[in-house]
Amino acid sequence: MKGKDLLSVSDLSSEEVDLLLSDTLSIKTGGWLSSLSGRSLALLFEKPSLRTRVSFEMAMRQLGGQVIYLSPDEVGLGIREPVADVARVISRYVDVIAARTNSHQTLELLAEYASVPVINALSDREHPCQALADLFTIYEKKGDLNGLNLAFIGDGNNVANSLLLAASLVGMNFRIASPAGYQVSDEILDLARDYAGESGSDILCTQELEQAVAGADIVYTDVWTSMGQEDEVEKRRRALAGYQVNGQLLDLAKDDAILMHPLPAHRGDEVTDDVLDGPASVVFDQAENRLHLAKALLDRMLGGLEFPLSSHF
Ligand code: CP
Ligand code: NVA
């Protein structure tokens, strides 16, 4: 992973995912000594963020490194100056860039011209850091990943794409219920099917919520309108209105099923308050685990590991 970009979950092998999850567990449980002293991270964001920004910023600081946040207004990616020039300039100042871009193509262009590694901090196509942290949360709650059933309800968006790839890499079954026109992309699905062939996981795309949720260990949902799609909010609300995770739907999953959401949530749309704040919800553990995963990722990418640890996986 050292020196490599992370633009997609597909940039990682299943062994690298296992290693990251093992590192994350060590970090969270305190058996970790690492130093990123003298190393620096730039957060280059075209969209708002709470979890991604704060978790990366605190991860870098707590490991002894430095961080600079560049807000959407300051960056002007492709507006104030070409993306390729921004990439080449920032690379002269920092050791790694985490970028949140409107378009995945902007991220690819940044990575092409940057001489330091680029991390996808969310694009319109993927959110790999969220998916990796989510695998860790699932492992923490269920003690395993292989053979579990994850049901994703709603828009086949960036979060769904990364989760689908991550689940199929590690042998978790992935079922997604979304209406016509809001399914995961064929490109991602083809890639995930290749992984599933190797790992033995099942993938199901359906429009029927009940079919996806029956027997689920994890029920996962995300907003109907992602950042950058605000013009479509009413259209999306109409199309996705039936795809709400509420108590009635959750009852169809296993008795010990957990409810996951990357946050921020649009309460009352894709998920109801009682479910989000109820006993099955692990959404704040998910948010916390972004910090531990960010540390593991930065450490592997920058090579700050000082003491190898035994693998938990
Ligand atoms: N889940 C997540 O990425 O949240 P932010 O948009 O607040 O970073
Ligand atoms: N799908 C959401 C995820 C936010 C973390 C978005 O892109 O806005």
Side-chain angles (χ1 to χ4, degrees), residues 47 100 122-123 127 130 157-159 222-223 225-227 262-264:
K47 301 182 191 186
R100 171 167 285 198
L122 182 146
S123 70
H127 197 2
Q130 183 68 52
N157 61 15
N158 45 7
V159 169
D222 186 21
V223 292
T225 301
S226 287
M227 291 179 280
L263 302 179

Side-chain angles (χ1 to χ4, degrees), residues 61-119:
R61 287 183 199 280
Q62 288 173 13
L63 293 181
Q66 303 200 26
V67 56
I68 181 158
Y69 171 75
L70 297 158
S71 70
D73 288 345
E74 282 163 307
V75 184
L77 263 180
I79 301 165
R80 186 165 182 263
E81 66 185 300
V83 175
D85 288 358
V86 173
R88 286 177 286 194
V89 170
I90 299 187
S91 299
R92 301 292 180 106
Y93 301 132
V94 301
D95 300 301
V96 57
I97 300 167
R100 171 167 285 198
T101 57
N102 293 315
S103 148
H104 195 77
Q105 282 168 335
T106 304
L107 197 68
E108 288 176 335
L109 200 57
L110 263 176
E112 185 185 339
Y113 283 92
S115 55
V116 297
V118 174
I119 299 171

Side-chain angles (χ1 to χ4, degrees), residues 6-27:
L6 177 64
L7 305 190
S8 162
V9 170
S10 63
D11 289 329
L12 298 171
S13 65
S14 60
E15 290 76 20
E16 286 171 329
V17 171
D18 282 354
L19 193 63
L20 278 174
L21 299 183
S22 175
D23 288 354
T24 305
L25 184 60
S26 297
I27 287 167

Side-chain angles (χ1 to χ4, degrees), residues 119-313:
I119 299 171
N120 179 355
L122 182 146
S123 70
D124 58 344
R125 185 184 137 119
E126 273 201 58
H127 197 2
C129 302
Q130 183 68 52
L132 292 167
D134 290 341
L135 287 187
F136 177 74
T137 304
I138 295 167
Y139 174 76
E140 205 177 28
K141 301 294 172 189
K142 297 289 175 188
D144 204 354
L145 296 172
N146 200 276
L148 293 179
N149 300 320
L150 187 150
F152 190 102
I153 306 300
D155 187 23
N157 61 15
N158 45 7
V159 169
N161 283 340
S162 287
L163 268 178
L164 168 55
L165 291 174
S168 47
L169 256 184
V170 302
M172 194 169 14
N173 304 320
F174 188 90
R175 301 169 187 165
I176 178 162
S178 31
Y182 295 89
Q183 286 115 335
V184 286
S185 76
D186 287 342
E187 194 190 342
I188 297 277
L189 201 51
D190 287 346
L191 200 52
R193 285 193 173 123
D194 285 347
Y195 294 155
E198 293 283 315
S199 71
S201 73
D202 279 339
I203 298 171
L204 173 76
C205 300
T206 176
Q207 294 188 27
E208 307 296 328
L209 286 88
E210 293 77 10
Q211 200 183 3
V213 173
D217 298 284
I218 303 115
V219 178
Y220 200 117
T221 191
D222 186 21
V223 292
W224 293 337
T225 301
S226 287
M227 291 179 280
Q229 299 172 333
E230 288 78 8
D231 291 351
E232 299 175 19
V233 66
E234 286 313 323
K235 184 180 127 199
R236 288 175 160 274
R237 196 169 266 146
R238 278 195 300 276
L240 286 143
Y243 291 78
Q244 183 188 66
V245 177
N246 51 37
Q248 212 179 343
L249 188 72
L250 198 59
D251 280 347
L252 302 178
K254 285 187 181 162
D255 289 345
D256 63 350
I258 54 173
L259 179 276
M260 299 182 77
H261 191 305
L263 302 179
H266 295 164
R267 288 165 176 263
D269 280 352
E270 77 276 3
V271 64
T272 52
D273 279 333
D274 58 327
V275 164
L276 200 65
D277 298 326
S281 175
V282 299
V283 298
F284 298 109
D285 293 324
Q286 274 181 271
E288 176 188 331
N289 286 335
R290 293 291 307 275
L291 171 70
H292 308 302
L293 185 281
K295 284 183 181 168
L297 190 60
L298 289 168
D299 193 89
R300 285 284 166 191
M301 290 180 92
L302 294 173
L305 184 66
E306 287 178 349
F307 296 95
L309 295 150
S310 59
S311 175
H312 293 276
F313 285 77

